[in-house]
Amino acid sequence: MKIPVIKSSMPNYDEYIEEIKDLWDSRWLTNMGAKHNKLINELKAYLKIDNIDLVTNGHMALELSLECLDLKGEVITTPFTFVSTTNSIVRKGCIPVFCDINEDDFTIDVNKIEELITDKTVAIMPVHVYGNICDVEKIDEIAKKHNLKVIYDAAHAFGEEYKGKGIMNYGDSSCMSFHATKVFHTIEGGAIAFRDESFGKKLNQLKDFGIKDEEITDMIGTNAKMHEFSAAMGLCNLKHIDEFIVKRKILCDHYRERLNNVKGIKLSPIQKDVKANYAYFPVFFDEVFSVNRDNVKKHLEENNVLTRKYFYPAINELDSYKNKYPQNTPIAAKLSRQVLTLPLYTDLTLEEVDYICDKILELY
Ligand SMILES: *Cc1c(COP(=O)(O)O)cnc(C)c1O
């Protein structure tokens, strides 16, 4: 039996069946149905935010955010992310400008943003990577000073808080992914938390072809509506989310205990003032005693443990982006060559974590 890198969390079978039963009576399967609307209300409470709307996936959340804010020009972002972040910028007709990340928590280096701002810069798209919270206060300050919009790729940050405030409250919008592999999921799905009412009105129309009412369609929209079976999965998973996160914490604490203070191994930081969600367990291998990331991955694979080089290559090293856009990101390049994310999911056991750590440590 192989240990996978991720397994989706799920409610009990009976719970989900119970939740979808009334869809056979109502026959209302999509288009802002009762479950869609109920999930919006429950998410507002759980995430401590005022404004949120649901969409089909995290990628559409990013594309629709750029569209709702009517952005055209340069968007400062990082290459240490999932390709969706950068794709959304290019697909919406903007130019990605790659800013380096900081060595400590892998989020955008706020000291390097201002030197990248030009008269074409319209926004910053930072990523709360692995659930590590960006320096939201400094980013706010820079955005205000230069009159820029901020769209957070918050795909990894579901349920997190900074100084007691829901993390989705920062920026003009925060984009969530509810993909099956994420901490909270709706099978496929996503959401946008946003600041302004006007953003919400536009989003509401854009996610439904641009239709305003029965007779008026005054925008050229897309189709990004979350359907009822997804919303039902969300309602069920939300009942268990705290329990899922506690399980993840116990697993992460155990990994940390076993791998802390090993020469050549760097772990993700525990951030101050942050209520974490334990989304991923990335480990960075600096080559010592000829142990490096690639031979750790190989050794684990030979012992039936699957891992992922998440994120490698850095986005600006992918064929689709190489040498096309402004970039000077040596730290992202270095860390992407060191990183390996270890298995982490709610069904993983402490014994399996021990086994994985034993296999890593026997290389040293
Ligand atoms: C998962 C993810 C996305 C895309 O979300 P989907 O729901 O899969 O479309 C975007 N950005 C990051 C950082 C992600 O991890």
Side-chain angles (χ1 to χ4, degrees):
M1 278 272 285
K2 284 195 196 300
I3 301 177
V5 63
I6 269 168
K7 260 191 215 179
S8 297
S9 307
M10 284 173 93
N12 291 327
Y13 175 77
D14 294 334
E15 248 180 286
Y16 184 67
I17 296 305
E18 192 52 41
E19 184 63 53
I20 61 173
K21 234 175 209 159
D22 54 8
L23 295 175
W24 269 260
D25 303 323
S26 70
R27 302 281 162 138
W28 188 317
L29 305 188
T30 186
N31 284 49
M32 288 59 86
K35 295 185 193 296
H36 169 282
N37 298 338
K38 188 171 175 207
L39 184 57
I40 284 181
N41 284 327
E42 294 198 1
L43 286 172
K44 275 185 195 170
Y46 186 78
L47 299 171
K48 302 187 181 174
I49 50 171
D50 294 329
N51 300 315
I52 186 172
D53 203 351
L54 299 170
V55 290
T56 39
N57 57 56
H59 183 78
M60 285 308 291
L62 291 167
E63 285 201 10
L64 283 165
S65 278
L66 287 158
E67 215 173 321
C68 285
L69 295 168
D70 209 8
L71 298 176
K72 285 281 171 283
E74 294 175 359
V75 178
I76 298 172
T77 186
T78 91
F80 196 66
T81 181
F82 183 54
V83 68
S84 168
T85 317
T86 329
N87 283 3
S88 73
I89 296 170
V90 177
R91 289 178 58 82
K92 284 289 118 189
C94 294
I95 296 163
V97 175
F98 293 108
C99 181
D100 212 354
I101 55 174
N102 67 66
E103 187 112 35
D104 306 322
D105 65 14
F106 332 118
T107 62
I108 196 164
D109 185 341
V110 291
N111 297 315
K112 293 184 182 149
I113 294 177
E114 285 192 286
E115 64 200 54
L116 296 173
I117 296 175
T118 70
D119 55 357
K120 297 195 190 69
T121 309
V122 290
I124 309 171
M125 189 183 278
V127 185
H128 299 305
V129 65
Y130 307 125
N132 291 344
I133 299 304
C134 300
D135 186 343
V136 286
E137 284 159 354
K138 183 76 191 178
I139 291 168
D140 252 3
E141 194 186 304
I142 295 169
K144 272 207 191 86
K145 183 172 155 198
H146 297 274
N147 194 24
L148 304 175
K149 301 290 184 193
V150 180
I151 299 171
Y152 281 102
D153 182 334
H156 295 176
F158 186 84
E160 296 195 305
E161 291 174 14
Y162 176 62
K163 294 181 179 168
K165 183 170 160 182
I167 198 64
M168 303 304 169
N169 286 293
Y170 290 89
D172 293 276
S173 79
S174 285
C175 300
M176 290 160 252
S177 164
F178 298 159
H179 183 256
T181 54
K182 307 284 154 105
V183 170
F184 169 80
H185 77 86
T186 60
I187 309 171
E188 288 267 6
I192 310 177
F194 52 88
R195 182 179 292 157
D196 294 334
E197 293 275 307
S198 58
F199 184 113
K201 282 209 178 95
K202 201 164 167 189
L203 175 59
N204 228 292
Q205 270 185 258
L206 284 176
K207 78 172 196 178
D208 189 20
F209 304 101
I211 297 169
K212 188 172 189 179
D213 59 36
E214 238 177 274
E215 294 189 7
I216 300 172
T217 297
D218 56 3
M219 288 179 195
I220 302 171
T222 184
N223 180 2
K225 307 183 300 290
M226 181 183 284
H227 63 71
E228 291 292 272
F229 289 83
S230 272
M233 182 59 87
L235 289 169
C236 291
N237 278 333
L238 201 56
K239 291 195 183 92
H240 297 283
I241 187 70
D242 288 332
E243 163 202 326
F244 291 161
I245 291 174
V246 167
K247 280 189 181 158
R248 287 175 172 276
K249 178 182 189 314
I250 292 168
L251 296 163
C252 287
D253 287 349
H254 199 56
Y255 265 131
R256 201 172 277 284
E257 219 169 88
R258 296 285 321 267
L259 299 176
N260 224 349
N261 297 319
V262 178
K263 188 173 157 40
I265 292 183
K266 182 167 96 176
L267 305 178
S268 195
I270 295 172
Q271 290 184 303
K272 200 169 155 284
D273 297 323
V274 171
K275 183 182 159 210
N277 68 0
Y278 307 92
Y280 298 89
F281 201 83
V283 177
F284 296 80
F285 294 92
D286 202 359
E287 179 147 347
V288 283
F289 317 123
S290 35
V291 181
N292 59 39
R293 188 269 309 268
D294 290 341
N295 56 35
V296 172
K297 181 175 170 66
K298 187 160 166 280
H299 183 65
L300 288 173
E301 225 152 50
E302 285 163 2
N303 286 282
N304 295 320
V305 178
L306 302 181
T307 58
R308 270 189 74 192
K309 298 177 188 179
Y310 197 62
F311 303 98
Y312 174 82
I315 303 307
N316 47 10
E317 294 178 359
L318 297 173
D319 289 342
S320 42
Y321 288 105
K322 215 168 9 194
N323 304 324
K324 282 191 190 153
Y325 299 100
Q327 51 183 291
N328 175 23
T329 57
I331 294 175
K334 182 180 103 179
L335 291 177
S336 71
R337 284 171 173 74
Q338 296 184 337
V339 71
L340 201 60
T341 42
L342 301 181
L344 182 62
Y345 44 87
T346 49
D347 292 344
L348 190 71
T349 65
L350 288 172
E351 290 70 31
E352 286 169 321
V353 170
D354 270 324
Y355 174 78
I356 295 161
C357 294
D358 288 343
K359 291 297 150 196
I360 293 171
L361 294 171
E362 72 188 18
L363 285 171
Y364 286 83

